[in-house]
């Protein structure tokens, strides 16, 4: 009995020793920073000098009146509202086409469509700023096809800059979701598809009556991942438009970066930027929780049926 | 007919998908004068390495490249060691607090990086690692690496318990059993983790950007290229050469380990 007890204690100690490294890094770079964020957000602090002045909730109050914060906040959600349906549907289309067993060259297509995912987003943003420039490929195609008379300045116009950000992000990330969908589609039984095909179902019917019900539960996970990722967007936007023109493409991440680390909007303000990042982080978590609840509900319905 | 349309569509999309990469690599070997008369042509010029030579030395892309390699290698090693150990304990044993720990780690998925960015910057500054590769490595290895933890713990769960018992019969303790029997078995997962973490670390931008604001010498390729573009807006072929230096290693890695990357990504959504 005591020997066994001793063994349990040793095992427990070993287990804690094994998780300690991860735990230390987690506490140091994720847990403790969250607490720090809360403390910073209650202070007026530039971050550059040691003097912090406690101001209570003043940062949050000012934030609510800050037009630039709200503009970035709205942009983040507009970006999400456009990106999620676009990314989820286009990637599903790719995956359905590539999932066909008879298709020749599908490994090649898959590799091409996925390749942008592994490229550094910051580098992709810079390269794409050239491709969308007045002498770049996009304008060349638009003028050759006579869609526009002369080259358009994508980055100089608020609406066009937003469109460019959306198109580039779609190009960069769609491969990720395509892979997710392909993994999910593996779960659709080939026998059922063949049987349905024999019964004369066309591909659209096949998709809605055979494929969709099977992939619906996993779709929830993909939508959640896509939502959270689109709200985190920074690299491509910062390198492609820098949030411009005139903050039209500023999202929360680029706004906070500007606020805390650059002199683009006055002196760096760590306290204020922390309040902004906490507010936004809180909203993201709420959205995550809500989406998870919806997903859980839908899945329960699915199994009940 | 439908088949042909599918092929045309997929071929077109594939071309659009890789065109920016082809354009960058082609432009990176284009002489500057040729580039400004025709920046779209993909052929019909004499390739040159002068852009690479220019940015490698004068624009310190050599340093950036070395920084990216060192930071990636060290971060990956650190992450593999810590997630393998933690994944083993969490997947294999039901120890006091294991459920709570897993819950805490899992919940970190939804914390956006931007919420911890400012304090991480402060922590690195306070310990005197601002603008150093060590700072980049430590901050880069921070966080819970939920995907890798899940991959390892799910894998270790499936290893038959008889194996461990046999090792224990032979007199192996907890650590020896892990090191000699279990850890070598996790090689396929480790391959996935190494490749995915390499891609992520190599591509990281936001964190390296703020941690090297004060010291250009410690910048990685992504950050270096961004600041280079800010300072040399007209040197397009130079920027393309820099971009190609950042892209090519990762493209090679992708071609070599396509299957592991694809499986790893797919595993993340199933987990």
């Amino acid at each position: 009995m005591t020997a066994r007890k001793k063994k349990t204690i040793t095992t427990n100690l070993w287990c804690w020793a094994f998780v300690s490294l991860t735990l230390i890094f987690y506490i140091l770079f994720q847990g403790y920073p969250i607490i720090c964020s809360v403390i910073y957000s209650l202070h007026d602090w530039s971050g550059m000098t040691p003097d912090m002045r406690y101001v209570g909730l003043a940062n949050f109050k000012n934030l609510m009146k800050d037009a630039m914060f709200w503009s970035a906040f709205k942009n983040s959600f507009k970006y999400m509202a456009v990106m999620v349906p676009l990314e989820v549907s286009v990637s599903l289309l790719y995956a359905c086409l590539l999932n066909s067993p008879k298709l020749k060259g599908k490994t090649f297509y898959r590799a091409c469509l996925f390749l942008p995912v592994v490229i550094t987003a910051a580098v992709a943003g810079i390269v794409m700023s050239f491709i969308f420039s007045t002498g770049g490929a996009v304008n060349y195609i638009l003028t050759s096809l006579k869609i526009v008379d002369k080259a358009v300045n994508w980055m100089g116009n608020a609406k066009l800059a937003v469109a460019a950000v959306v198109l580039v992000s779609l190009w960069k990330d769609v491969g990720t979701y395509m892979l997710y969908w392909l993994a999910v589609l593996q779960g659709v039984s080939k026998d059922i598809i063949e049987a349905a095909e024999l019964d004369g179902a066309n591909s659209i019917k096949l998709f809605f009556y055979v494929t969709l019900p099977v992939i619906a539960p996993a779709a929830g996970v993909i939508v959640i991942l896509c939502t959270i990722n689109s709200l985190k967007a920074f690299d491509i936007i910062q390198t492609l438009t820098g949030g411009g023109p005139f903050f039209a493409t500023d999202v929360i991440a680029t706004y906070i970066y500007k606020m805390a680390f650059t002199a683009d909007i006055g002196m760096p303000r760590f306290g204020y930027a922390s309040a902004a990042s906490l507010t936004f982080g809180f909203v993201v978590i709420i959205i995550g929780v809500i989406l998870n609840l919806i997903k859980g509900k839908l899945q329960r319905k699915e199994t009940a049926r | 007919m439908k088949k042909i349309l599918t092929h045309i569509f997929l071929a077109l999309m594939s071309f659009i998908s890789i065109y920016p990469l082809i354009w960058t690599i082609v432009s990176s070997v284009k002489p500057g004068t040729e580039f400004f008369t025709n920046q779209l042509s993909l052929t019909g010029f004499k390739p040159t390495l002068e852009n690479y030579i220019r940015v490698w030395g004068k624009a310190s892309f050599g340093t950036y490249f070395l920084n990216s390699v060192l930071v990636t290698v060290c971060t990956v090693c650190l992450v593999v060691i810590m997630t393998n150990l933690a994944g083993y304990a969490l997947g294999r044993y039901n120890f006091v607090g294991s459920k709570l720990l897993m819950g805490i780690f899992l919940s970190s998925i939804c914390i956006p990086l931007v919420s911890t960015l400012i304090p991480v910057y402060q922590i690195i500054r306070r310990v005197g690692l601002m603008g150093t590769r060590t700072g980049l490595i430590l901050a880069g290895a921070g966080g819970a690496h939920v995907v890798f933890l899940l991959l390892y713990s799910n894998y270790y769960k499936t290893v038959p318990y008889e194996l461990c018992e046999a090792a224990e019969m032979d007199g192996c303790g907890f650590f020896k059993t892990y090191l000699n029997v279990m850890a070598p078995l996790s090689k396929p997962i480790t391959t996935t983790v190494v490749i995915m973490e390499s891609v992520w670390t190599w591509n990281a931008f936001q964190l390296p950007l703020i941690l090297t604001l004060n010291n250009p010498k410690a910048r990685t390729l992504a950050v270096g290229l961004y600041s280079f573009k800010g300072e040399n807006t007209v040197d397009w072929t130079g920027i393309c050469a820099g971009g190609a230096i950042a892209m090519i290693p990762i493209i090679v890695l992708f071609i070599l380990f396509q299957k592991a990357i694809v499986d790893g990504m797919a595993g993340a959504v199933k987990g």
Side-chain angles (χ1 to χ4, degrees):
Chain A
M1 186 62 196
T2 42
R4 228 175 118 193
K5 210 172 182 181
K6 211 175 141 197
K7 202 183 159 215
T8 325
I9 292 172
T10 354
T11 309
N12 264 296
L13 287 177
W14 270 115
C15 283
W16 275 94
F18 268 46
V19 293
S20 61
L21 200 55
T22 299
L23 192 60
I24 290 168
F25 270 85
Y26 178 78
I27 292 171
L28 216 53
F29 293 107
Q30 211 140 40
Y32 176 67
I34 292 287
I35 299 167
C36 284
S37 268
V38 176
I39 297 168
Y40 296 167
S41 70
L42 301 174
H43 289 79
D44 181 19
W45 183 37
S46 72
M48 301 298 140
T49 53
D51 54 307
M52 291 169 88
R53 197 165 55 86
Y54 179 78
V55 290
L57 294 174
N59 281 331
F60 290 95
K61 272 182 204 145
N62 290 332
L63 205 57
M64 295 302 123
K65 287 180 286 189
D66 182 348
M68 267 179 71
F69 170 76
W70 282 116
S71 150
F73 192 86
K74 272 186 216 144
N75 281 343
S76 275
F77 282 94
K78 272 191 215 156
Y79 176 76
M80 178 200 84
V82 177
M83 276 330 282
V84 175
L86 205 58
E87 220 141 41
V88 170
S89 55
V90 174
S91 59
L92 179 59
L93 173 68
Y94 285 167
C96 285
L97 290 176
L98 291 178
N99 195 48
S100 137
K102 282 165 265 169
L103 187 76
K104 276 201 189 101
K106 62 176 164 185
T107 332
F108 173 76
Y109 291 137
R110 192 186 64 186
C112 288
L113 293 170
F114 183 71
L115 201 53
V117 173
V118 294
I119 297 300
T120 314
V123 174
I126 291 167
V127 167
M128 282 308 213
S129 71
F130 292 160
I131 293 194
F132 277 85
S133 69
T134 40
V138 174
N139 270 310
Y140 174 76
I141 292 167
L142 290 180
T143 43
S144 328
L145 292 176
K146 301 262 186 307
I147 297 173
V148 292
D149 305 332
K150 65 180 194 353
V152 286
N153 181 7
W154 286 80
M155 301 310 153
N157 175 307
K159 283 212 177 93
L160 290 176
V162 172
V165 166
V166 167
L167 288 173
V168 172
S169 307
L170 180 69
W171 162 77
K172 177 77 177 67
D173 296 330
V174 76
T176 311
Y177 303 103
M178 175 187 78
L179 275 197
Y180 292 168
W181 282 124
L182 278 170
V184 173
L185 287 172
Q186 306 266 296
V188 182
S189 153
K190 293 209 172 69
D191 299 342
I192 299 179
I193 291 182
E194 267 167 29
E197 268 173 350
L198 281 180
D199 287 346
N202 60 25
S203 12
I204 293 165
K205 265 194 182 151
L206 207 61
F207 176 77
F208 281 102
Y209 291 106
V210 181
T211 312
L212 202 59
V214 181
I215 62 174
V221 181
I222 294 175
V223 168
I224 292 175
L225 286 172
C226 192
T227 307
I228 302 286
N229 283 340
S230 67
L231 287 173
K232 285 178 181 170
F234 174 79
D235 299 7
I236 283 187
I237 299 174
Q238 182 64 36
T239 52
L240 186 65
T241 67
F246 300 108
F247 311 106
T249 55
D250 240 351
V251 289
I252 287 294
T254 55
Y255 168 85
I256 289 167
Y257 169 72
K258 280 200 188 91
M259 191 55 105
F261 300 104
T262 74
D264 288 3
I265 5 177
M267 276 298 286
R269 294 164 72 188
F270 267 39
Y272 191 68
S274 294
S277 72
L278 270 186
T279 309
F280 186 66
F282 186 68
V283 174
V284 172
I285 291 171
I286 299 276
I287 291 175
V289 171
I290 292 173
L291 285 177
N292 254 317
L293 286 177
I294 296 173
K295 192 194 91 192
K297 273 250 168 70
L298 287 177
Q299 275 172 355
R300 225 164 296 138
K301 245 187 213 158
E302 201 68 37
T303 41
R305 226 193 283 160
Chain B
M1 185 61 200
K2 210 181 89 191
K3 226 165 140 189
I4 297 166
L5 279 178
T6 308
H7 273 290
I8 290 172
F9 176 74
L10 284 174
L12 186 67
M13 287 302 146
S14 297
F15 178 72
I16 292 174
S17 191
I18 57 170
Y19 170 76
L21 316 181
I22 296 171
W23 180 83
T24 310
I25 292 167
V26 170
S27 301
S28 73
V29 292
K30 230 182 216 182
T33 47
E34 174 76 32
F35 182 87
F36 280 102
T37 47
N38 191 352
Q39 55 162 293
L40 291 174
S41 70
L42 296 177
T43 50
F45 62 91
K46 244 182 114 189
T48 166
L49 284 178
E50 67 177 60
N51 298 319
Y52 284 91
I53 295 162
R54 189 172 67 246
V55 298
W56 188 267
K58 232 171 71 194
S60 28
F61 272 83
T63 314
Y64 299 153
F65 182 78
L66 185 71
N67 289 341
S68 275
V69 171
L70 282 174
V71 169
T72 304
V73 169
C74 295
T75 308
V76 168
C77 288
L78 205 55
V79 168
V80 165
I81 293 170
M82 64 194 225
T83 51
N84 196 327
L85 289 171
Y88 177 69
L90 289 167
R92 201 75 183 164
Y93 293 92
N94 226 330
F95 60 96
V96 181
S98 61
K99 290 243 165 61
L100 182 69
L101 269 179
M102 202 64 191
I104 292 174
F105 289 150
L106 281 180
S107 68
S108 74
I109 290 186
C110 45
I111 300 172
L113 174 65
V114 72
S115 302
T116 55
L117 209 56
I118 295 168
V120 166
Y121 175 87
Q122 281 299 325
I123 291 167
I124 295 292
R125 195 166 71 169
R126 232 179 297 149
V127 293
L129 291 173
M130 187 51 72
T132 64
R133 289 188 291 240
T134 318
L136 289 184
I137 294 163
L138 291 178
H145 309 284
V146 176
V147 176
F148 301 154
L149 276 182
L150 284 176
L151 280 174
Y152 273 125
S153 69
N154 285 339
Y155 179 78
Y156 279 126
K157 245 178 235 166
T158 62
V159 177
Y161 280 77
E162 290 80 13
L163 262 178
C164 273
E165 279 158 20
E168 272 170 28
M169 291 285 221
D170 290 343
C172 285
F174 189 96
F175 190 68
K176 263 201 160 159
T177 310
Y178 164 75
L179 197 67
N180 296 337
V181 183
M182 301 300 282
L185 284 176
S186 67
K187 229 171 165 180
I189 305 294
T190 304
T191 313
T192 309
V193 173
V194 166
I195 293 164
M196 288 180 71
E197 183 62 30
S198 301
V199 174
W200 284 341
T201 315
W202 186 270
N203 290 343
F205 177 65
Q206 202 172 8
L207 204 54
L209 175 69
I210 62 153
L211 294 181
T212 58
L213 283 172
N214 67 339
N215 181 17
K217 286 260 162 314
R219 283 179 185 154
T220 55
L221 281 168
V223 182
L225 188 69
Y226 178 63
S227 53
F228 181 73
K229 194 206 166 195
E231 291 150 14
N232 303 275
T233 24
V234 287
D235 188 2
W236 285 29
T237 49
I239 294 169
C240 286
I245 295 172
M247 277 178 187
I248 292 169
I250 219 83
I251 295 177
V252 170
L253 194 77
F254 174 70
I255 293 169
L256 290 178
F257 297 102
Q258 209 196 128
K259 200 177 171 306
I261 293 178
V262 168
D263 290 351
M265 298 277 292
V269 73
K270 279 182 192 151

